[in-house]
PDB file of all heavy atoms in Angstrom:
ATOM      1  N   ALA B  40     -25.175  13.944  14.413  1.00  0.00           N
ATOM      2  CA  ALA B  40     -26.210  14.859  13.944  1.00  0.00           C
ATOM      3  C   ALA B  40     -26.945  14.319  12.724  1.00  0.00           C
ATOM      4  O   ALA B  40     -27.968  14.854  12.327  1.00  0.00           O
ATOM      5  CB  ALA B  40     -25.574  16.205  13.613  1.00  0.00           C
ATOM      6  N   GLU B 115      -5.786  -8.069  14.676  1.00  0.00           N
ATOM      7  CA  GLU B 115      -5.648  -9.265  13.855  1.00  0.00           C
ATOM      8  C   GLU B 115      -6.340  -9.099  12.512  1.00  0.00           C
ATOM      9  O   GLU B 115      -5.986  -9.744  11.537  1.00  0.00           O
ATOM     10  CB  GLU B 115      -6.243 -10.491  14.571  1.00  0.00           C
ATOM     11  CG  GLU B 115      -5.342 -11.143  15.593  1.00  0.00           C
ATOM     12  CD  GLU B 115      -3.943 -11.433  15.061  1.00  0.00           C
ATOM     13  OE1 GLU B 115      -3.825 -11.978  13.947  1.00  0.00           O
ATOM     14  OE2 GLU B 115      -2.975 -11.125  15.773  1.00  0.00           O
ATOM     15  N   ARG B 144      -0.518 -20.175  30.654  1.00  0.00           N
ATOM     16  CA  ARG B 144       0.561 -19.659  31.484  1.00  0.00           C
ATOM     17  C   ARG B 144       0.073 -19.334  32.888  1.00  0.00           C
ATOM     18  O   ARG B 144       0.732 -19.610  33.866  1.00  0.00           O
ATOM     19  CB  ARG B 144       1.136 -18.404  30.847  1.00  0.00           C
ATOM     20  CG  ARG B 144       2.010 -18.749  29.689  1.00  0.00           C
ATOM     21  CD  ARG B 144       3.051 -17.706  29.530  1.00  0.00           C
ATOM     22  NE  ARG B 144       3.999 -18.170  28.541  1.00  0.00           N
ATOM     23  CZ  ARG B 144       5.030 -17.477  28.150  1.00  0.00           C
ATOM     24  NH1 ARG B 144       5.238 -16.288  28.666  1.00  0.00           N
ATOM     25  NH2 ARG B 144       5.868 -17.947  27.267  1.00  0.00           N
ATOM     26  N   LEU B 168       4.630 -26.087  23.675  1.00  0.00           N
ATOM     27  CA  LEU B 168       5.076 -26.760  22.470  1.00  0.00           C
ATOM     28  C   LEU B 168       3.913 -27.482  21.810  1.00  0.00           C
ATOM     29  O   LEU B 168       3.683 -27.374  20.600  1.00  0.00           O
ATOM     30  CB  LEU B 168       6.178 -27.760  22.849  1.00  0.00           C
ATOM     31  CG  LEU B 168       7.238 -27.944  21.784  1.00  0.00           C
ATOM     32  CD1 LEU B 168       8.147 -26.736  21.781  1.00  0.00           C
ATOM     33  CD2 LEU B 168       8.011 -29.214  22.036  1.00  0.00           C
TER      34      LEU B 168
END
Side-chain angles (χ1 to χ4, degrees):
Chain B
E115 278 310 313
R144 284 209 171 179
L168 213 75

